[in-house]
Structures are given as structure tokens and as C-alpha cells.
Amino acid sequence: MRMVDLIEKKKAGLEHSEKEIHFIINGYVEDKIPDYQMSAWMMAICFQGLTQKETTILTKEMTYSGEILDLSSIQGIKVDKHSTGGVGDKTSLVLGPLVGACGVPVAKMSGRGLGHTGGTLDKLESIPGLKIEIKKEDFIKQVNDCCFSIIGQNKHLVPADKKMYALRDVTGTVACIPLIASSIMSKKIAAGCDALLLDVKYGNGAFMKTKEEAKKLAQMMIQIGKSLGKDTKATLSNMTQPLGYAIGNSLEVKEAIETLLGNGPDDLLQLCLQSGAQMLIQAKKAKSIKEATQMLKNVIDNHKAFDVLCQMVEAQGGNVEYICHPELFKKAKEIIPIHSLEKGYVKDLKAKPLGLVSMKLGGGRASIEDTIDYSVGLVLNKKIGDYVEKDEILLYVHTNNGLSEELRAEILNAYIIQDEYIEKPILIDEVL
Ligand code: URA
């Protein structure tokens, strides 16, 4: 077999066999196929696509390019959740304790933030002392003890995705549904869960700009999961505006704590209850959404979910005082209010520019080597559907370096205000 013939084949829109995909992935991981040929092949996929069968085979080949985590010594059905990322998305910090408190083991690997989206690991590391690299035996013991742990990606999982993703990043081949589906699913399957809930987001703050694209991606991933023996479900959720009110690492941890104590923003709580209920059903802890939702509300009311977060933080070396007394988190030097220039209803609140402002304040990374300032970010005061008077506060900027006119303009441009009344958007509008 020659790689050049396989590139030509995909360029012509023909379907690859299992042997051919094995040859490509194996050859690439073993450095027998060079980056330039791999990029040409992935670019051909961007234009010609892959069939469902090809995508499933590609996912399987990528999954088995490295180690597969064996979580069989964790008791119970392990349900993992994956969000395709967004702005202000702190759901893992709420959902993990919620579901864990209902007796479902959550053994999760998460990533870091890049660009306008935040990463769960960075948020967790804003808790002083908390370690995200722990030994596999300790990880398993912790999940058996308190039903919840989040750690960093194991370096030995899915080496094919590491190489391919780095190449896609610099060759304009990231935004391609079969490549995204195989990249996400290979990592999730290698991470050893029994069942998987995907939260596929759409809107200007997400990878998928439209609901139709998000649905296509979700359906493709569900089929891959089913073909590879994992019970897989997906929700489609709206990411036109940030989730909750806080954007930025420690600000988001504080909001997650508030939510676990029953005082969080309604959109975040609803998303966590709906996703959590799906997970409890997948883990066979509840038979209906109604029953599952009640279980989740109970563990908020009796503080069991909050206790699970405290146990997890303590087990991973974090200072649990910060969870019990969030006012201990280091504050930014200045909190600058941004006032509205006009009155009316907030029609649009663009998540992506706000995510980028938080990154530029130091709360995120423009490149993977950048360090993070955990205390900075934004706290929204007005969201879509809210009425705002002229000069009323739209949001607060938490900063250690003042606020440039450029960033102030970016914030004001993210808010679109109109005279006519507008309903608040629906968050989850479909479960697949
Ligand atoms: N997240 C991933 O893990 N892979 C992609 O290709 C896109 C988003």
C-alpha cells in the first residue's frame, strides 16, 4: 500500500477499507507516514467527508494506538460526560459531585483551556494545592471512596490523536465533523468509561456554529459509541451566550460551589440537572428523568453533593478551606463595572468575544505555554432577555492590569441591545 494512492482515493470521494485506515494510522504513529501526507489526507477528508463506517474504524484505530485505561476495579457503572466546550462552562465541577453523591462513580479525565474556551483542569488548579496528576491506583481508590475524581489526560492514551490534533491545528483541518468525532470518541473510549453522555454545544461560543451541525456531530458520535460497545447519549445545548454568570478560573469555581449549595444561576443548574438525570439513568440508578432529577435535587438540599466536592479536593491535596470559605480565593486588584450605553432588552450576548476578553486579561492561554492568572475574568450582570437601563451595569471586569479601551470596546460590542422584548433562550433543546 502507498499513502499517495490513499490520498488520491479519498480525494476522489471513495470509501476506505479497514486495512487502509489501519495502514494510515499505524504508519503515522510509527513515523512511517510524514506530516505532509497526513495533512493532505485530512484535508481530503474535510472536502469529501468520511462515511459512518470509516469514522468508526478510524476511531477504533486511534483508540488502540495507545493504552486503554482499565477501570474495572471501580465498582458500578462508570458514566463519563464530555462537553464540546464553551465559555463559562463549569458543568464538570457541578455534575461530578452531583452524580457522585447519588452513588455513580465519576472517574474523569479533563483538558486545559485554549483560546476563548476555558478548561476544567485550569479551573481546578485555582484551588491551592490541588493536584491533577495522581497515580492510577490513587485515582481508582479515590473514585471507590468518594465517587469522584478529575485528573489530567494520561500521556499514554491515544497518541494518534495527539499527533493528528497538533497537525490539524496548523493545517486548517480542525473544523471537520468526522475528524472531531473520531478525536473526541477515541479519547473517551480509551479513558475506560462504560457509558458516555455528550453535551454538544452550538452557537457563536462553540465549535459548531449551528444546531444542524451540532446534531450531525452528535449523531455520528452516538453511532461510533454504539458500534464500539458504549452506551452513548447526547444533548444539544445552546452556547450563544456564556453559561452562568462567571467567566474565569476561580470565579467559575466559586459559581460551581454556589450551585452545589443551591444558590447558583438557573441556566447552569438546569443544564446540570438535565445532564445529571441522563447520567443516572445510564448508570441504572434511576428509571425516569423525574425520579433522577429528584435524586439530584435531594443531594443539593442535604449538601451531600457539596461534601463530595470537599472530599475530592482533600483527596487530591487541595485546601478544602477554600471550598468551605470561597471568599479566601485571591481576588483581582480591581473590579471595574462596565455600564450600558443604551437602554433596552439584551438581544444577544456573544460568548466568544467575552471568552477572548477573559483570556486577554490573563485568564486563559493564547498558546499552550502561557501561564494563567486564576483571579481574573468577567462576572455578568445582564444576560439575554434581561432589561437594562442606560448606565446600568452590564458586567464586572476582574483585572490585575487595568482595562484597555480596546477590551472595553470588545465587551460593549458583545452586547446587542434592542427595544423589543425578547424571551430568554432555551438551553437544552434536544436529547439524542
Ligand atoms: N475536541 C477534541 O478533543 N477534538 C477535536 O477535534 C475538537 C474538539
Side-chain angles (χ1 to χ4, degrees):
M1 238 181 270
R2 293 191 321 154
M3 185 62 184
V4 62
D5 299 328
L6 300 179
I7 297 168
E8 290 283 4
K9 185 169 180 180
K10 189 40 68 190
K11 197 173 93 185
L14 301 174
E15 191 177 39
H16 285 307
S17 68
E18 184 159 5
K19 270 199 182 124
E20 288 169 348
I21 297 175
H22 176 78
F23 171 84
I24 295 169
I25 300 305
N26 217 33
Y28 187 55
V29 171
E30 289 180 0
D31 293 328
K32 290 180 191 150
I33 291 171
D35 281 352
Y36 56 84
Q37 284 191 312
M38 194 65 179
S39 0
W41 182 66
M42 292 197 292
M43 187 57 88
I45 292 174
C46 289
F47 286 101
Q48 293 293 0
L50 289 180
T51 62
Q52 181 70 49
K53 189 172 162 208
E54 286 177 304
T55 314
T56 302
I57 296 168
L58 174 62
T59 308
K60 196 170 92 196
E61 290 297 333
M62 289 170 70
T63 305
Y64 288 98
S65 67
E67 237 179 61
I68 309 286
L69 210 59
D70 177 8
L71 299 182
S72 57
S73 49
I74 296 177
Q75 293 121 34
I77 299 176
K78 294 155 285 289
V79 187
D80 199 356
K81 165 247 160 197
H82 178 81
S83 153
T84 55
V87 178
D89 185 359
K90 66 283 288 175
T91 42
S92 292
L93 303 180
V94 182
L95 253 184
L98 270 183
V99 173
C102 294
V104 176
V106 179
K108 193 162 172 47
M109 284 191 190
S110 285
R112 297 198 177 277
L114 192 60
H116 71 283
T117 62
T120 303
L121 292 186
D122 302 319
K123 293 169 201 181
L124 278 174
E125 282 181 335
S126 70
I127 303 168
L130 192 134
K131 291 193 290 290
I132 48 92
E133 276 185 30
I134 56 181
K135 280 198 250 149
K136 188 180 152 199
E137 308 80 77
D138 296 338
F139 176 57
I140 288 177
K141 181 176 181 309
Q142 182 180 327
V143 179
N144 274 329
D145 288 348
C146 75
C147 275
F148 180 41
S149 179
I150 298 185
I151 57 171
Q153 286 282 351
N154 174 325
K155 293 183 183 62
H156 306 292
L157 297 190
V158 201
D161 183 64
K162 270 193 203 87
K163 273 192 93 177
M164 287 166 73
Y165 198 87
L167 194 57
R168 285 169 60 206
D169 218 14
V170 292
T171 56
T173 52
V174 168
C176 167
I177 288 178
L179 295 179
I180 296 175
S182 51
S183 164
I184 292 174
M185 291 302 287
S186 59
K187 285 179 288 206
K188 287 286 134 187
I189 293 169
C193 64
D194 302 311
L196 178 60
L197 177 68
L198 302 159
D199 176 14
V200 183
K201 298 192 181 293
Y202 63 90
N204 77 73
F207 256 113
M208 298 289 117
K209 299 298 167 221
T210 66
K211 186 175 163 191
E212 290 66 40
E213 281 178 312
K215 194 165 179 173
K216 249 195 209 166
L217 175 63
Q219 284 168 333
M220 191 164 238
M221 292 196 286
I222 289 172
Q223 280 312 316
I224 295 172
K226 287 191 173 151
S227 306
L228 300 180
K230 304 283 173 194
D231 166 30
T232 308
K233 289 226 167 250
T235 54
L236 300 184
S237 67
N238 190 323
M239 185 39 84
T240 44
Q241 66 176 343
L243 187 60
Y245 290 97
I247 305 167
N249 297 287
S250 63
L251 295 169
E252 292 192 40
V253 172
K254 286 199 231 179
E255 190 168 70
I257 295 169
E258 285 294 311
T259 308
L260 285 173
L261 291 170
N263 308 317
D266 196 51
D267 60 348
L268 175 62
L269 177 66
Q270 291 314 321
L271 180 60
C272 291
L273 290 178
Q274 293 189 46
S275 304
Q278 281 298 339
M279 290 169 79
L280 293 192
I281 290 175
Q282 287 179 276
K284 308 211 183 317
K285 286 278 175 190
K287 291 203 170 59
S288 67
I289 291 287
K290 193 168 166 219
E291 182 196 352
T293 307
Q294 193 53 51
M295 288 169 72
L296 296 165
K297 286 183 175 168
N298 291 348
V299 295
I300 293 179
D301 292 344
N302 61 23
H303 287 195
K304 273 196 177 164
F306 175 77
D307 291 344
V308 168
L309 179 66
C310 292
Q311 288 162 27
M312 174 265 189
V313 168
E314 195 153 28
Q316 292 185 215
N319 186 343
V320 84
E321 283 297 300
Y322 281 70
I323 309 302
C324 300
H325 304 283
E327 66 279 7
L328 289 174
F329 278 99
K330 191 171 160 227
K331 291 182 187 61
K333 275 190 213 143
E334 262 186 296
I335 299 177
I336 302 175
I338 303 293
H339 299 269
S340 180
L341 301 180
E342 54 199 321
K343 66 172 186 187
Y345 290 93
V346 178
K347 172 177 180 280
D348 210 350
L349 174 53
K350 296 182 187 139
K352 186 170 177 180
L354 293 181
L356 287 171
V357 169
S358 175
M359 182 198 88
K360 290 175 194 169
L361 289 168
R365 295 183 185 82
S367 78
I368 204 78
E369 306 81 36
D370 292 351
T371 52
I372 283 195
D373 183 345
Y374 296 117
S375 63
V376 300
L378 306 172
V379 177
L380 308 177
N381 192 43
K382 297 287 176 183
K383 294 188 63 169
I384 297 178
D386 287 340
Y387 185 77
V388 56
E389 291 287 355
K390 184 170 183 294
D391 289 331
E392 214 184 330
I393 295 169
L394 292 171
L395 60 72
Y396 297 90
V397 180
H398 291 236
T399 173
N400 286 321
N401 279 313
L403 182 68
S404 67
E405 280 313 309
E406 197 187 324
L407 287 191
R408 183 184 291 272
E410 282 174 29
I411 292 169
L412 286 169
N413 287 339
Y415 274 91
I416 309 292
I417 293 170
Q418 66 176 24
D419 288 337
E420 300 82 49
Y421 169 78
I422 177 162
E423 297 259 351
K424 290 189 186 294
I426 294 167
L427 194 59
I428 292 191
D429 46 8
E430 211 166 330
V431 180
L432 302 171

